Amino acid sequence: MDFLDAFLNPEIIARYLPALIRAVWVTLWISVLVVISGLALGALLAGLRAYQKRWLSWPIVLFADLMRALPPLVLMLVLFFGLPSVGIILADWFVLYLILTLVLAAFVEEIFWATMTSLPRGQWEAGAATGLSFLQVLLHVIFPQALRMNIPPLVNRSLTISKMTAYGSVIGVKEIVSVAGSAQAFSGSATPLTMAALAYLIIFYPAMLLSRYIENRFHYEH
Amino acid sequence: MTAAQPLPTLEITALEKRFGETQVLRSIDLKVQNGELVFVIGPSGSGKSTMLRCCNRLEEPTSGAIHVSGKPMLGIPRKELDRMRLQVGMVFQGFFLYPHLTALKNVTLAQRKALKRPRAEAEARALEMLDKVGLKHKADAMPSELSGGQQQRVAIARALALDPKVMLFDEPTSALDPELVGSVLKVMRDLREGGMTMIVVSHEMQFAREAADRVVFMDGGVIVEEGPPEEIFGNPKSDRLKAFLSRVSGEAA
């Protein structure tokens, strides 16, 4: 009884449920935006890198290395607390969105690049030999193959980065951890934190099942 | 055949290719007339494949000239090169079908994107070409569901569908199990009957004897000897060709 009272107190659940549901929405839409723009930006960067122009590749590699090396939380803090001192004020949710997108893009770029360079050179040549332009080979021959081969790591990265929306609690984004944390502080009960954990499960467990479906659906023999 | 020759379908002039310090091709001259099947033989490393790959610039020649029906392949902008490549079909040793597309889509992709053919027309043409290589019933199969010989025939259909003026075959049967070689050679023989201009780099000497108009023997990056198959195989002149032929027949026995 004590256990249930501490972690799943019905009264506290009822009191904080509306706020938590709002927080779930915040977590959800920031995650969806981050995943969409991070995948798109990462794929675009890998595509640009394929042109093998030094002035294009060099900044992309630097960007990818930096974004993968630095902890996202540090970047968020620098942006959120640093920029106002030079007169730039960004909304908390935008800082969270921007940094997570850039970090995801960096990983996605590296994932795509690794596969694109590991495809047989004959795939590029077969496309070129049939009169396709470089961009057409990239879009119709190389990318679709790289995408299919990369679905597992891309899905993993997307799930990982979505869970990092929890960092938003540090800069005041009203996502799940932030809202559950304040509720815990006000109520003195661990129940809101349990609710937060359940909320994450409700969001990410179906996402995990969906990813498994996608992996099977697009699997093909080489 | 030499009197009133029109423009050669493919003309290679003074072609040179160096990889760094290594000279792979030196002063190659070769004219291929419309409807001719030229067979290129020679030991590995003799530059046969490199010469073929220079013809559609998968390999960048160091110097020289390549003309397809009188139009230059070299010194043209990439856009123009893409258009010229439509006229030069290529078949690779490793097939290189696109593994994520069905046989039909493999054959329609470049028709749609490079030739800008409407979908219906491209698909009709693709089915026609798949039929020609005996694989119309496999139109919806993925490459992984096809045997090596079938994949190579789809690859031939993919090149043919673009209505090329000349077809380049780069060891088209070397990666195939022996029992599958025949099906690919049959398609090539049909093509020849249909009047397609072809350059074939291959070790299928029997096929060369039967189907080639002319055999070119390369060694050390130069054309050592060329002539009709009965001359090249029956009455080789250079020591290098004699040595090569005896090595090859030794292997076959």
Side-chain angles (χ1 to χ4, degrees):
Chain A
M1 242 2 236
D2 279 353
F3 184 85
L4 271 186
D5 200 48
F7 289 97
L8 283 168
N9 183 311
E11 243 173 80
I12 298 202
I13 290 178
R15 196 188 316 158
Y16 290 107
L17 192 60
L20 245 143
I21 288 175
R22 277 197 301 278
V24 165
W25 282 116
V26 172
T27 294
L28 257 182
W29 68 255
I30 292 183
S31 299
V32 169
L33 278 186
V34 164
V35 168
I36 291 173
S37 28
L39 290 177
L41 180 62
L44 177 70
L45 290 176
L48 289 175
R49 195 172 164 191
Y51 279 84
Q52 305 202 299
K53 303 269 184 244
R54 197 172 304 176
W55 56 270
L56 212 52
S57 311
W58 193 83
I60 292 172
V61 172
L62 184 70
F63 164 81
D65 286 352
L66 282 180
M67 286 298 149
R68 290 182 306 146
L70 291 167
L73 185 56
V74 173
L75 292 165
M76 283 176 212
L77 292 174
V78 168
L79 237 59
F80 190 70
F81 295 109
L83 283 185
S85 60
V86 291
I88 302 171
I89 297 172
L90 299 174
D92 48 28
W93 70 267
F94 185 75
V95 170
L96 179 64
Y97 161 76
L98 182 68
I99 296 300
L100 293 186
T101 295
L102 295 181
V103 171
L104 178 59
F107 280 100
V108 169
E109 187 277 326
E110 286 299 309
I111 290 170
F112 265 108
W113 180 249
T115 324
M116 286 161 63
T117 50
S118 72
L119 286 176
R121 205 159 67 111
Q123 289 291 323
W124 294 88
E125 292 184 346
T130 52
L132 297 175
S133 70
F134 186 84
L135 183 63
Q136 285 174 328
V137 175
L138 201 57
L139 288 181
H140 300 294
V141 177
I142 303 301
F143 252 15
Q145 293 185 57
L147 184 64
R148 275 154 214 247
M149 289 167 76
N150 282 331
I151 283 174
L154 290 175
V155 167
N156 272 332
R157 273 291 149 198
S158 299
L159 289 176
T160 307
I161 206 84
S162 299
K163 284 184 286 182
M164 286 187 193
T165 50
Y167 287 142
S169 60
V170 181
I171 54 175
V173 180
K174 297 277 173 244
E175 49 63 65
I176 295 172
V177 173
S178 162
V179 168
S182 354
Q184 186 267 333
F186 278 115
S187 63
S189 160
T191 299
L193 298 178
T194 315
M195 293 167 73
L198 289 174
Y200 277 114
L201 267 186
I202 290 169
I203 296 176
F204 286 107
Y205 202 73
M208 217 103 49
L209 293 181
L210 179 69
S211 75
R212 204 151 285 155
Y213 168 78
I214 296 174
E215 281 166 29
N216 291 331
R217 170 73 180 70
F218 287 102
H219 182 76
Y220 66 94
E221 302 292 327
H222 244 284
Chain B
M1 272 213 20
T2 42
Q5 274 309 337
L7 226 41
T9 302
L10 183 91
E11 182 170 20
I12 301 174
T13 320
L15 179 66
E16 306 262 335
K17 174 65 184 175
R18 258 189 303 274
F19 288 111
E21 291 296 293
T22 323
Q23 179 111 25
V24 186
L25 295 175
R26 57 190 95 210
S27 54
I28 301 279
D29 289 292
L30 186 66
K31 276 184 197 162
V32 182
Q33 298 297 343
N34 188 29
E36 210 182 2
L37 192 162
V38 172
F39 208 94
V40 185
I41 59 172
S44 66
S46 59
K48 316 178 295 278
S49 284
T50 308
M51 180 186 77
L52 212 61
R53 289 163 57 80
C54 281
C55 291
N56 64 354
R57 281 180 64 191
L58 287 182
E59 220 63 78
E60 209 53 56
T62 308
S63 66
I66 311 239
H67 288 85
V68 176
S69 296
K71 292 207 199 101
M73 281 297 283
L74 272 63
I76 52 176
R78 171 72 200 236
K79 261 208 146 84
E80 182 59 29
L81 175 62
D82 290 338
R83 266 196 296 274
M84 288 297 290
R85 278 173 167 167
L86 287 167
Q87 309 188 7
V88 184
M90 182 144 199
V91 175
F92 301 87
Q93 181 179 355
F95 329 140
F96 300 126
L97 290 186
Y98 312 130
H100 59 297
L101 300 177
T102 62
L104 184 76
K105 291 235 161 80
N106 264 277
V107 185
T108 53
L109 180 66
Q111 291 189 70
R112 305 254 294 125
K113 304 298 170 188
L115 272 184
K116 312 279 182 211
R117 275 189 190 146
R119 178 192 295 270
E121 190 189 334
E123 284 180 356
R125 181 84 179 132
L127 285 172
E128 188 189 327
M129 290 302 114
L130 285 173
D131 196 26
K132 200 169 188 169
V133 301
L135 290 171
K136 196 177 179 183
H137 61 294
K138 294 287 186 186
D140 294 322
M142 299 303 280
S144 61
E145 298 162 352
L146 301 173
S147 73
Q150 291 173 329
Q151 289 189 48
Q152 191 62 298
R153 280 144 67 198
V154 173
I156 293 172
R158 174 172 69 182
L160 285 178
L162 301 168
D163 305 318
K165 294 210 167 86
V166 54
M167 287 280 288
L168 311 175
F169 291 85
D170 188 5
E171 307 209 14
T173 57
S174 301
L176 294 176
D177 291 337
E179 78 269 24
L180 301 176
V181 169
S183 66
V184 172
L185 293 184
K186 179 185 177 302
V187 167
M188 292 168 67
R189 203 169 282 131
D190 290 348
L191 272 182
R192 174 181 158 53
E193 317 266 281
M196 175 58 74
T197 310
M198 300 157 76
I199 306 183
V200 181
V201 169
S202 164
H203 298 287
E204 300 291 337
M205 298 300 165
Q206 191 54 40
F207 181 71
R209 262 180 240 267
E210 293 163 17
D213 293 298
R214 194 147 50 103
V215 178
V216 169
F217 170 63
M218 287 181 72
D219 194 11
V222 296
I223 295 180
V224 179
E225 211 173 318
E226 63 178 296
E230 52 274 20
E231 277 293 305
I232 292 290
F233 294 113
N235 184 21
K237 300 205 172 45
S238 64
D239 291 341
R240 283 200 275 180
L241 176 54
K242 284 177 195 159
F244 174 71
L245 288 176
S246 72
R247 272 203 308 277
V248 173
S249 59
E251 277 163 25

